Amino acid sequence: MKLQQKIESEIKNAVEKIYGATLESVELQTTRKDFEGDITAVVFPMLRVVKGNPVQIGEAIGAFLVENVAEISKFNVVQGFLNLVLSDAYYLEFFNSVQDFSTFGKVPQGDTAIMVEYSSPNTNKPLHLGHVRNVLLGYSVAEIEKAAGKKVYKTQIINDRGIHICKSMLAWEKFGNEETPATTNLKGDKLVGNYYVKFDQEYKKEIQALKEIGKTEEEAKAQAPLIKEAQEMLRKWEAGDEETVALWNKMNGWVYAGFEETYKNIGVDFDFYYYESDTYLLGKDIIEEGIKKGVFFMKDDGSIWCDLTEEGLDEKLVLRSDGTAVYMTQDIGTAVQRVKDHPDVGGMIYTVGNEQDYHFKVLFLILKKLGYSWAENLFHLSYGMVDLPSGKMKSREGTVVDADDLIEQMTETARKISEELGKIDDFSIEEKEALYKMIGLGALKYYILKVDPKKRILFNPEESVDFQGNTGPFIQYTYARIQSILRKAGKVSTALDLTSIKIHAKEKELIKIIQQYPDTIQLAAENYSPALIANYTYDLVKEFNSFYQNVPILATDNEQEKLFRIKLSAAVAEVIKSAFSLLGIDVPERM
RNA sequence: GGUCUGGUAGCUCAGUUGGAUAGAGCAUCUGCCUUCUAAGCAGACGGUCACAGGUUCGAAUCCUGUCCAGAUCACCA
């Protein structure tokens, strides 16, 4: 039984015995730092069933607990708060009981799988900072769910078809002079992205020209020759025109190669891919079934709708009057297809920006109405946009922070700081480069993941991401510091003699925080929140550094205490490494 | 206009079943490297928790209204 539960039932016991009253529940919390104690019971709520002075009641319960719970050594009462002090032995025994801190807190994988979708890029342009937030969030949540015992499939849907890619294709055909990634020495996604921008520039010129001869903005946008050609190209693609499909294949191929490079750069991976070109026709048969089930209805013009007015929403179109699919149709189809492909999937997480909150609300409702069991376990991992001081990022206008450039920039900052400090001058070039990248990525990932996903991020490229304080590099640094100690300590295999160790207040704090790690993983999994892991790690690391600077580890006379401190430091390092792996951040042996 | 999300120190953020004097980092200022890595530690300064009501022993947290910011409400994707 967990200690918390034990205390809870003993408090109920105490109230029963002393006052003859029955408590429904007991409110426990961790004791605030300014007071002596580890666990605090709040007396106020008890006043409902026990009449009297809260301080006296606290004293009475406290005395009872010290008497009856071995782990509680002392207590004090401040106002209506009963602060319980746990014995050193309790902490030492807990610490000693953990066999392996590298797996501590992680739950073995269960049978039901959850599918996590993230990234989902369009193939007409390179990945930018917005995608980076998406990818980091999705990857991290996938890792957290795994640690919490779920089987996880990471996937993405690649939006490889549609008018956007046709725009890039058309511009390349017209203005490209047969350029390829090889001839230009450009990453494929960058090359294709350039032509997307090129299309927009030329298109705007045409619009301007049409406006000058008296057309309205709207007319000009619809009638410009370039957009008509692009639309024609999309029609040809849908008809399977050989030349168009060949060009599409060629340019998408360039883009995929570019994306893979970026994913590798960021350090994320996928178990399998879905392509919109394969899935965009899915879902129509499900709509048919849905009509039979009475989930959907047909209007006079033949269009199919879902009535969500009872749920407080509008009617939603699921099939056009001409029988063609809309976005919702293929999302329904794709979800169903995924479970067909992987029957163990019992739920899905979609990592998609908050601009699509409404879409997913509707999608999930419809899937529930259709009666799929897994529809109860769908979650839209919605996140706020990443904006620049100048406003929204727009690929067409080139006002984006490119993912590759950003990583490069962070790596450079890490290099600069590292070279100034000069602690790793003996590293080889390769070792140095790997370290700079690890630190640069650590800074970036932590910077993004420590923020609650729902909040929008304002990213100012002029102000660099911090490397000090509550940052990835600070935590990496602490890990490296511990490794340095462990190297100096050499091999220590002796078992601890718990009775001869006098525990220091800082050590006790550290064990307390370590003890919270399993709950933190569960909480982060329930809330789909890497931020909880990030904040936890920071608390742990901050406490360790305070310990490190105030308590000698190796320079201790008492051999048992020295051994304990070494083992404690090693445990902290393992937890840091473990927690950071849930964020997708690596930790260095030296820095 | 309807709906959803956010508003906490100059800046970036914590604060998850309502609990004690609202916490960190950055920035500013003080100390600390002949002792385990100073990307650190110890401390100072800094708050009408957007605003106004309400619920109660107790509200940053729950409810109502207002203000501000963003998103969304297409036979677009």
Side-chain angles (χ1 to χ4, degrees):
Chain A
M1 183 162 58
K2 279 180 82 178
L3 183 59
Q4 293 248 339
Q5 292 168 306
K6 189 171 171 186
I7 291 174
E8 211 175 304
S9 76
E10 282 304 319
I11 288 178
K12 285 179 181 171
N13 239 336
V15 171
E16 190 80 51
K17 286 211 167 114
I18 304 171
Y19 301 100
T22 308
L23 279 182
E24 286 291 309
S25 64
V26 176
E27 194 162 329
L28 294 180
Q29 54 190 256
T30 51
T31 306
R32 291 184 54 130
K33 276 225 163 150
D34 340 305
F35 300 94
E36 192 199 3
D38 302 302
I39 295 177
T40 294
V42 190
V43 181
F44 295 113
M46 303 177 191
L47 298 178
R48 269 188 286 262
V49 292
V50 182
K51 299 295 172 211
N53 179 317
V55 176
Q56 285 170 1
I57 296 170
E59 298 277 354
I61 298 173
F64 181 92
L65 291 176
V66 170
E67 196 69 23
N68 291 285
V69 183
E71 291 89 343
I72 297 175
S73 58
K74 286 196 291 184
F75 76 93
N76 63 81
V77 180
V78 182
Q79 295 174 37
F81 298 91
L82 168 58
N83 300 321
L84 305 169
V85 181
L86 302 182
S87 69
D88 291 357
Y90 165 72
Y91 284 109
L92 282 171
E93 274 160 27
F94 156 75
F95 179 74
N96 207 37
S97 72
V98 178
Q99 299 296 316
D100 180 3
F101 281 98
S102 68
T103 55
F104 176 63
K106 296 184 179 173
V107 177
Q109 221 170 69
D111 291 332
T112 46
I114 187 158
M115 193 174 286
V116 182
E117 173 192 299
Y118 61 95
S119 194
S120 318
N122 288 355
T123 59
N124 59 325
K125 53 180 190 261
L127 304 176
H128 58 64
L129 180 51
H131 296 107
V132 172
R133 187 178 196 185
N134 182 308
V135 160
L136 295 181
L137 269 173
Y139 178 87
S140 177
V141 166
E143 292 301 316
I144 290 168
E145 296 297 329
K146 257 191 225 171
K150 295 248 175 57
K151 188 172 171 186
V152 172
Y153 295 128
K154 300 175 192 169
T155 190
Q156 59 171 312
I157 183 138
I158 299 166
N159 300 305
D160 60 344
R161 50 134 253 137
I163 191 73
H164 50 84
I165 178 69
C166 289
K167 287 177 179 175
S168 291
M169 284 156 62
L170 184 65
W172 182 83
E173 209 171 53
K174 279 188 173 321
F175 314 108
N177 305 315
E178 297 295 321
E179 274 187 10
T180 70
T183 65
T184 54
N185 206 19
L186 261 184
K187 266 181 87 215
D189 52 335
K190 298 276 159 62
L191 180 71
V192 173
N194 287 346
Y195 285 100
Y196 186 64
V197 173
K198 179 72 177 167
F199 176 92
D200 197 60
Q201 287 165 350
E202 297 300 323
Y203 180 36
K204 279 196 171 131
K205 281 187 207 163
E206 291 187 356
I207 293 172
Q208 193 52 38
L210 285 170
K211 274 161 80 176
E212 273 163 24
I213 60 168
K215 304 274 186 190
T216 66
E217 174 92 23
E218 233 165 74
E219 286 169 343
K221 277 185 176 167
Q223 293 170 9
L226 270 175
I227 194 73
K228 295 202 129 179
E229 271 188 82
Q231 284 160 352
E232 177 55 24
M233 198 174 232
L234 182 59
R235 268 189 292 276
K236 277 179 160 169
W237 180 87
E238 283 179 0
D241 175 72
E242 225 170 276
E243 219 174 288
T244 309
V245 171
L247 175 62
W248 173 80
N249 268 324
K250 176 161 73 179
M251 290 182 70
N252 269 341
W254 295 343
V255 172
Y256 298 150
F259 282 174
E260 278 311 311
E261 199 179 320
T262 303
Y263 291 138
K264 204 173 157 213
N265 215 353
I266 299 176
V268 296
D269 54 19
F270 300 89
D271 295 310
F272 36 74
Y273 299 80
Y274 281 90
Y275 295 88
E276 199 201 351
S277 54
D278 294 328
T279 63
Y280 81 110
L281 294 174
L282 291 175
K284 288 191 193 183
D285 49 336
I286 297 163
I287 304 298
E288 294 295 320
E289 281 174 43
I291 295 176
K292 284 180 202 151
K293 286 185 191 163
V295 176
F296 306 129
F297 69 95
M298 185 183 284
K299 287 196 177 176
D300 292 342
D301 61 0
S303 57
I304 316 281
W305 297 73
C306 186
D307 184 1
L308 298 167
T309 48
E310 262 180 45
E311 284 83 2
L313 305 173
D314 287 332
E315 293 178 344
K316 185 74 191 177
L317 179 86
V318 292
L319 208 59
R320 292 193 186 102
S321 52
D322 62 3
T324 56
V326 288
Y327 191 42
M328 189 59 73
T329 324
Q330 53 169 299
D331 269 9
I332 293 169
T334 304
V336 173
Q337 185 62 45
R338 282 176 174 172
V339 181
K340 268 187 202 158
D341 295 344
H342 308 276
D344 55 346
V345 166
M348 301 182 209
I349 296 172
Y350 293 83
T351 314
V352 181
N354 64 11
E355 57 202 351
Q356 296 200 33
D357 284 355
Y358 184 74
H359 174 79
F360 282 100
K361 208 170 168 179
V362 171
L363 174 65
F364 296 168
L365 259 174
I366 291 178
L367 289 168
K368 269 184 208 166
K369 276 174 172 277
L370 288 169
Y372 298 105
S373 59
W374 43 265
E376 301 300 322
N377 303 313
L378 299 174
F379 182 75
H380 174 202
L381 177 52
S382 166
Y383 61 91
M385 295 289 105
V386 183
D387 292 328
L388 304 176
S390 54
K392 256 191 127 160
M393 288 191 275
K394 289 186 183 129
S395 295
R396 276 174 304 189
E397 291 165 22
T399 58
V400 291
V401 176
D402 178 80
D404 299 314
D405 293 351
L406 181 61
I407 293 168
E408 178 61 32
Q409 190 190 317
M410 299 297 300
T411 305
E412 279 312 306
T413 307
R415 179 198 313 278
K416 221 182 104 217
I417 295 172
S418 216
E419 278 174 355
E420 274 169 18
L421 293 173
K423 294 181 188 175
I424 51 149
D425 292 341
D426 58 318
F427 272 31
S428 70
I429 304 279
E430 292 77 19
E431 286 173 325
K432 281 182 183 167
E433 290 306 315
L435 179 67
Y436 300 151
K437 193 165 163 206
M438 189 193 289
I439 297 171
L441 270 177
L444 177 64
K445 290 182 177 183
Y446 189 86
Y447 172 83
I448 287 174
L449 290 176
K450 77 170 180 181
V451 182
D452 179 355
K454 283 200 290 288
K455 293 195 175 177
R456 70 189 264 263
I457 291 181
L458 195 94
F459 183 84
N460 189 346
E462 304 301 317
E463 298 167 15
S464 56
V465 173
D466 277 331
F467 281 63
Q468 277 165 8
N470 187 359
T471 66
F474 167 52
I475 292 165
Q476 290 171 318
Y477 171 73
T478 305
Y479 180 86
R481 244 184 174 181
I482 297 174
Q483 295 313 307
S484 171
I485 289 214
L486 297 181
R487 279 192 297 272
K488 288 209 167 79
K491 269 216 170 110
V492 284
S493 53
T494 334
L496 283 173
D497 172 18
L498 299 184
T499 53
S500 64
I501 296 167
K502 206 169 160 295
I503 198 165
H504 189 280
K506 302 261 179 206
E507 293 164 348
K508 191 168 163 181
E509 273 313 307
L510 276 175
I511 297 176
K512 266 160 102 171
I513 299 176
I514 290 173
Q515 208 174 19
Q516 289 161 10
Y517 185 52
D519 287 343
T520 304
I521 291 178
Q522 290 302 322
L523 200 63
E526 282 163 28
N527 291 284
Y528 309 97
S529 176
L532 292 177
I533 299 290
N535 287 321
Y536 169 84
T537 315
Y538 178 65
D539 287 342
L540 174 66
V541 160
K542 194 153 170 43
E543 194 60 42
F544 180 82
N545 275 299
S546 178
F547 163 70
Y548 176 91
Q549 218 110 26
N550 288 291
V551 181
I553 297 169
L554 297 177
T556 315
D557 295 334
N558 184 321
E559 280 306 311
Q560 275 299 315
E561 283 184 4
K562 180 171 161 185
L563 181 60
F564 170 57
R565 287 173 189 170
I566 291 167
K567 288 195 166 193
L568 181 59
S569 300
V572 170
E574 289 300 331
V575 175
I576 292 173
K577 189 175 188 176
S578 164
F580 254 31
S581 79
L582 300 183
L583 302 179
I585 305 176
D586 291 328
V587 287
E589 297 304 303
R590 286 177 56 191
M591 72 183 269

